[in-house]
Amino acid sequence: SSALIRTEGKTILIDCGPDFRMQMLRATDYHLDAMIATHVHYDHVGGVDDLRPYCHRLGYFPIYARSEVLKDLRMKMPYSFGANPYPGAPRFQEHEVGDEPFCCEGVMVTPLPVWHGKLLINGYRIGDLAYITDAKTIDESTFERLAGVRLLVINGLRFKEHSTHFTIAEALEVIRRVNPEQAYITHLCHDAGFYADSEKILPEGVHFAYDGLVVRI
């Protein structure tokens, strides 16, 4: 799962999975200013090579991520990094982020550190939106950063227990605690059932996300 955030005249991509190319072909606006990555797993960075066309405008494309994510991308795509890159390869401007707020192409972003099993990864807050994926545990310090959020997007893999992902019931508990105006459960797997059936169990103001969903706040 990934998301396009359009705010303050900028379009920021959160994660770039293997389906990125097809997802962008269905988008209504092809412009991108930067990418922010949550973590290194393939389903969240497997489409980075398809950012190649976005490197032409500046000669590079900005990527903001934790140090371990940037290190992983260098290993996965050695042809794009180093002093003598392969001709025509995508080029990236690396921006290392941690737990503190940072400016992404003029947009203020607050990291939301969460635990994906034993792996520390970042969710992100941009204005009234909080986007958290692949979480299993959220520390109190991150809950404090979620105060006042109007729209929460959070992972809920399935109904059955999982070692590194929230179940749908656990995601609903987080939603109840944060109490946003709207919430969407994302990063669903096939065990979540059919949308038309499973959606009926969700409380008011909470929905399952789907590919191509557009939400305005």
Side-chain angles (χ1 to χ4, degrees), residues 41-69:
H41 289 164
Y42 182 80
D43 54 327
H44 294 265
V45 297
V48 169
D49 186 85
D50 286 326
L51 290 168
R52 187 180 302 241
Y54 295 98
C55 299
H56 295 318
R57 182 169 62 94
L58 299 173
Y60 59 84
F61 186 77
I63 294 181
Y64 294 73
R66 299 184 73 93
S67 60
E68 58 268 28
V69 179

Side-chain angles (χ1 to χ4, degrees):
S1 58
S2 57
L4 284 178
I5 311 299
R6 297 185 177 109
T7 183
E8 301 179 38
K10 301 292 184 178
T11 303
I12 298 171
L13 173 69
I14 301 181
D15 286 341
C16 188
D19 295 328
F20 171 76
R21 178 179 175 274
M22 291 304 300
Q23 290 170 326
M24 285 304 294
L25 287 173
R26 291 196 297 266
T28 56
D29 178 2
Y30 303 140
H31 179 75
L32 284 180
D33 290 291
M35 170 190 165
I36 306 174
T38 61
H39 63 299
V40 301
H41 289 164
Y42 182 80
D43 54 327
H44 294 265
V45 297
V48 169
D49 186 85
D50 286 326
L51 290 168
R52 187 180 302 241
Y54 295 98
C55 299
H56 295 318
R57 182 169 62 94
L58 299 173
Y60 59 84
F61 186 77
I63 294 181
Y64 294 73
R66 299 184 73 93
S67 60
E68 58 268 28
V69 179
L70 297 174
K71 179 181 178 181
D72 186 75
L73 288 176
R74 293 187 210 108
M75 293 175 62
K76 283 183 167 65
M77 302 174 64
Y79 54 88
S80 288
F81 298 90
N84 299 296
Y86 185 84
R91 293 290 282 167
F92 301 108
Q93 184 185 62
E94 301 172 66
H95 298 268
E96 183 178 328
V97 304
D99 298 341
E100 298 304 315
F102 61 93
C103 184
C104 174
E105 308 304 304
V107 177
M108 288 304 301
V109 181
T110 300
L112 301 170
V114 297
W115 293 96
H116 183 21
K118 295 182 179 180
L119 178 66
L120 180 65
I121 71 173
N122 275 356
Y124 296 101
R125 177 171 181 170
I126 300 175
D128 291 328
L129 163 71
Y131 184 92
I132 296 173
T133 185
D134 288 39
K136 182 62 176 179
T137 308
I138 300 179
D139 292 339
E140 287 300 317
S141 57
T142 296
F143 272 114
E144 291 173 5
R145 294 186 177 193
L146 289 168
V149 162
R150 294 175 56 205
L151 173 61
L152 174 62
V153 180
I154 191 164
N155 65 295
L157 187 70
R158 62 191 189 190
F159 294 101
K160 184 181 177 182
E161 177 67 21
H162 191 275
S163 60
T164 63
H165 283 271
F166 282 138
T167 63
I168 291 171
E170 289 168 338
L172 289 173
E173 282 298 318
V174 174
I175 292 167
R176 275 191 280 270
R177 177 168 177 179
V178 175
N179 194 30
E181 294 176 9
Q182 298 181 78
Y184 286 86
I185 298 176
T186 191
H187 210 295
L188 298 148
C189 79
H190 63 283
D191 289 326
F194 290 107
Y195 185 95
D197 298 326
S198 299
E199 176 88 356
K200 296 174 183 177
I201 65 103
L202 299 179
E204 184 177 356
V206 182
H207 303 279
F208 288 128
Y210 55 85
D211 203 19
L213 172 69
V214 177
V215 183
R216 292 177 174 84
I217 57 172

